[in-house]
């Protein structure tokens, strides 16, 4: 039995609610009728929360992590600024997590989604679908290549524009770590104006969703890189690790 | 020994109205990722256990079914064992994934899973949890995914002994966790986000 087995056994740290948006955030109108009114009932983690789905990296197709190519199976390339989005997945104990499934979706360079319910008049890109996925490697690293998504207006009662963003769906090792979030781009002036971004009250917490331009990974004459590290909930130490950490 | 640096979880953001693109692409005609959506099939012919169908809707504060949301479930196999990558724990049915994902129908709002009835799950303290299924719901307007549990209303004696249900005993809201048997091997579990029937959501 190796150490990685042991570290997976503890319950999760309680979620720090100050990092997350509240359920009811009136400036984001859709939350009005969809936010529970009663407070969440805390429950102790059982196996049902500590375990979680397991994904075989063999589910991935050749172009799954390359959104510039996957809509046309590599025969055509999506229109717009090519970027690389990469990072590592950690837990709150600073440990990298391998085999994490990450799914992404986004608008095209014009700010239009390939979805029947997107009514924005910006054009669809015939070469861009807008979805991708990958699984973190043994060091917890992931990487996508994509087109930088455009900003777009949305109906929320005012002149609201979403900043450029990529949706992330992330599976850790526990069902209780399940998370969906959005990644923003460094320097985008729309972030601070966005009612959805601003559902996060803590500016330091929001900042962790803002990917930073990464010139080290930027490929000359090809694609700029953005770094976005993902932190999932951590777990209490096992007895074995208590001795190590002294906590 | 060095003390590990404590990081903070990144915050949640709503899945928004276009979550199908990334999570359930084939349902909107996108076959970019192979045409079979993850979580759409839990079973194979070899899966052990009693086949059941689960359906339901998620209602908003005006009692209108949500049609742009997504439900995920996580459950034990017929013997009450969870699929896990921690091999020493895993004696579970390898022909059962335990994890399912369904979108709310674009017209009716109904979600559906074809799965098996989970067995009771033994806890580390030796007590037994009644058969149950963990639910996670995301949609436009939901800032942080909602967790709840579904129990089977026809499992009276096991439900009586379930530690979580025992803790909740005395609250009328406990009934919001019970799936209703609507036909042989078929259960309905409606989720209410607000109002007098508001479902119990857990901080897990």
């Amino acid at each position: 039995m190796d150490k990685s087995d042991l570290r997976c056994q503890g319950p999760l740290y309680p979620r720090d609610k100050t990092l997350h948006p509240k359920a009811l955030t009136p400036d984001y109108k859709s939350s009005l009728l969809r936010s529970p009114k009663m407070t969440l009932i805390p429950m102790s983690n059982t196996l049902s929360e500590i375990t979680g789905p397991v994904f075989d990296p063999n589910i991935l197709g050749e172009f799954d992590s390359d959104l510039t190519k996957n809509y046309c199976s590599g025969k055509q390339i999506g229109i717009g600024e090519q970027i690389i989005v990469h990072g590592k997945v950690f837990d709150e104990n600073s440990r990298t997590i391998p085999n994490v499934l990450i799914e992404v979706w986004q608008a095209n360079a014009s700010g239009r989604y390939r979805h029947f319910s997107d009514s924005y008049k910006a054009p669809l890109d015939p070469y861009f679908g807008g979805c991708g996925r990958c699984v973190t490697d043994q060091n917890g690293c992931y990487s996508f290549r994509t087109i930088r998504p455009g900003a777009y207006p949305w109906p929320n009662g005012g002149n609201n524009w979403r900043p450029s963003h990529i949706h992330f769906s992330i599976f850790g090792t526990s069902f209780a770590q399940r998370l969906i979030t959005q990644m923003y781009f460094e320097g985008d002036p729309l972030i601070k104006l966005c009612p959805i971004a601003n559902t996060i009250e803590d500016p330091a917490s929001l900042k962790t969703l803002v990917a930073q331009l990464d010139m080290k990974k930027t490929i000359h004459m090809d694609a700029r890189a953005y770094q976005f590290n993902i932190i999932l909930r951590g777990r209490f130490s096992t007895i074995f690790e208590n001795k190590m950490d002294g906590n | 020994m060095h003390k590990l640096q404590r990081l903070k979880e990144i915050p949640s953001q709503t899945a928004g109205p276009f979550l199908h693109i990334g999570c359930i692409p084939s349902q909107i005609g996108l076959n970019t990722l192979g045409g079979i959506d993850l979580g759409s099939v839990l079973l194979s012919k070899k899966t052990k256990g009693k086949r059941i169908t689960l359906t339901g809707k998620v209602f908003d504060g005006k009692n209108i079914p949500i049609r742009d949301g997504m439900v995920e479930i996580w459950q034990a196999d017929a013997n009450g064992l969870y699929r896990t990558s921690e091999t020493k724990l895993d004696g579970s049915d390898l022909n059962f994934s335990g994890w399912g994902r369904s979108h709310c129908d674009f017209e009716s709002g109904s979600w559906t899973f074809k799965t098996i009835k989970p067995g009771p799950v033994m806890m580390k303290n030796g007590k037994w949890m009644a058969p149950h299924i963990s639910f996670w719901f995301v949609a436009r307007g939901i800032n942080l995914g909602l967790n709840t549990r579904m129990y089977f209303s026809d499992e009276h004696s096991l439900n009586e002994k379930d530690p979580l249900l025992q803790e909740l005993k005395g609250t009328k809201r406990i009934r919001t966790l019970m799936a209703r048997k609507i036909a042989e091997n078929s259960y309905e579990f409606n989720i209410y986000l607000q109002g007098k029937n508001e479902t119990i959501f857990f901080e897990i």
Side-chain angles (χ1 to χ4, degrees):
Chain A
M1 184 190 303
D2 69 15
K3 207 175 70 182
S4 63
D5 275 340
L6 283 167
R7 78 170 56 133
C8 291
Q9 287 183 29
L12 286 96
Y13 299 136
R15 201 161 228 162
D16 181 347
K17 280 174 275 189
T18 66
L19 303 174
H20 292 278
K22 293 188 173 79
L24 177 62
T25 47
D27 290 343
Y28 172 32
K29 299 284 184 277
S30 292
S31 74
L32 294 173
L33 290 172
R34 295 183 169 196
S35 46
K37 300 287 185 214
M38 315 286 273
T39 49
L40 303 183
I41 296 184
M43 67 179 277
S44 308
N45 285 171
T46 68
L47 273 181
S48 311
E49 291 74 41
I50 291 170
T51 55
V54 177
F55 297 98
D56 181 349
N58 293 327
I59 58 174
L60 300 178
E62 183 184 359
F63 297 113
D64 281 9
S65 65
D66 187 343
L67 287 76
T68 68
K69 288 184 178 166
N70 65 17
Y71 189 64
C72 295
S73 305
K75 296 185 191 79
Q76 301 283 354
I77 293 187
I79 297 166
E81 298 173 49
Q82 294 233 353
I83 57 170
I84 292 160
V85 175
H86 76 98
K88 274 191 179 189
V89 179
F90 298 90
D91 69 13
E92 289 172 309
N93 292 321
S94 306
R95 295 185 178 107
T96 54
I97 318 180
N99 297 319
V100 169
L101 174 67
I102 300 175
E103 299 163 303
V104 293
W105 67 100
Q106 63 168 89
N108 68 21
S110 309
R112 173 81 184 270
Y113 285 94
R114 188 172 283 283
H115 193 291
F116 67 85
S117 66
D118 187 1
S119 55
Y120 183 36
K121 63 187 176 188
L124 283 170
D125 175 347
Y127 311 128
F128 188 74
C131 59
R133 62 189 179 192
C134 71
V135 173
T136 58
D137 66 16
Q138 287 313 299
N139 301 312
C141 297
Y142 76 90
S143 181
F144 291 98
R145 181 180 279 250
T146 188
I147 300 295
R148 183 178 166 123
Y152 58 86
W154 59 295
N156 188 49
N159 186 12
N160 292 126
W161 289 74
R162 292 304 322 279
S164 294
H165 64 279
I166 300 177
H167 296 265
F168 274 68
S169 156
I170 309 143
F171 292 82
T173 53
S174 300
F175 200 55
Q177 285 174 316
R178 192 77 182 83
L179 188 71
I180 282 183
T181 190
Q182 302 181 26
M183 185 206 92
Y184 302 103
F185 290 86
E186 179 185 3
D188 190 336
L190 291 171
I191 298 172
K192 69 174 192 294
L193 304 176
C194 175
I196 290 179
N198 286 327
T199 59
I200 301 164
E201 293 176 4
D202 177 356
S205 185
L206 175 57
K207 200 177 164 200
T208 63
L209 297 183
V210 181
Q212 304 294 305
L213 178 66
D214 179 359
M215 288 307 290
K216 279 189 192 151
K217 292 269 182 172
T218 288
I219 303 171
H220 181 54
M221 303 299 284
D222 183 6
R224 301 200 305 290
Y226 283 87
Q227 188 184 36
F228 175 50
N229 289 330
I230 293 168
I231 323 293
L232 300 179
R233 292 172 69 184
R235 297 167 124 184
F236 284 105
S237 306
T238 59
I239 294 164
F240 179 79
E241 286 176 319
N242 279 344
K243 288 178 189 160
M244 276 184 67
D245 298 354
N247 61 357
Chain B
M1 292 293 170
H2 71 287
K3 181 98 179 167
L4 291 167
Q5 185 198 346
R6 182 68 59 88
L7 302 173
K8 288 179 173 179
E9 187 188 16
I10 58 169
S12 172
Q13 291 269 263
T14 180
F18 308 121
L19 57 87
H20 315 88
I21 299 172
C23 298
I24 315 191
S26 80
Q27 292 298 322
I28 54 165
L30 256 177
N31 295 313
T32 309
L33 303 177
I36 299 169
D37 296 332
L38 290 180
S40 58
V41 180
L42 290 96
L43 304 174
S44 75
K45 280 180 184 165
K46 293 178 184 169
T47 307
K48 298 183 189 90
K50 187 163 93 173
R51 268 66 180 161
I52 59 170
T53 301
L54 299 179
T55 58
K57 295 178 183 178
V58 182
F59 294 88
D60 72 10
K62 282 190 172 165
N63 235 19
I64 295 169
I66 289 177
R67 296 178 301 171
D68 58 3
M70 178 174 86
V71 177
E72 287 185 5
I73 60 169
W74 173 238
Q75 65 165 96
D77 69 9
N79 290 322
L81 298 174
Y82 280 100
R83 186 76 172 273
T84 165
S85 57
E86 296 163 46
T87 46
K88 70 191 177 58
L89 290 176
D90 199 348
S92 72
D93 183 352
L94 295 177
N95 294 304
F96 182 59
S97 75
W99 175 73
R101 182 186 254 177
S102 172
H103 71 292
C104 300
D105 183 81
F106 300 120
E107 300 292 327
S108 69
S110 287
W111 50 261
T112 305
F113 294 101
K114 293 199 179 301
T115 183
I116 48 121
K117 191 162 185 181
V121 176
M122 193 169 80
M123 298 170 75
K124 285 181 176 168
N125 61 11
K127 290 186 177 173
W128 291 87
M129 292 190 277
H132 66 275
I133 295 180
S134 299
F135 272 69
W136 190 67
F137 181 68
V138 291
R140 169 177 64 85
I142 290 177
N143 290 322
L144 175 63
L146 296 169
N147 291 99
T148 189
R149 260 195 197 189
M150 189 209 92
Y151 286 87
F152 294 85
S153 56
D154 53 355
E155 289 284 2
H156 295 295
S157 57
L158 289 168
N159 287 344
E160 280 285 312
K161 292 178 207 144
D162 180 86
L164 181 64
L165 294 180
Q166 279 183 341
E167 274 181 42
L168 298 168
K169 214 168 184 175
T171 160
K172 272 189 187 167
R173 296 180 69 210
I174 203 167
R175 65 189 158 79
T176 67
L177 305 180
M178 295 294 156
R180 196 165 64 92
K181 191 169 184 174
I182 50 173
E184 194 57 32
N185 301 325
S186 193
Y187 296 86
E188 180 186 67
F189 182 57
N190 289 326
I191 293 172
Y192 296 86
L193 298 182
Q194 298 179 358
K196 65 181 187 340
N197 296 319
E198 184 177 317
T199 298
I200 291 179
F201 297 105
F202 294 103
E203 188 183 329
I204 67 172

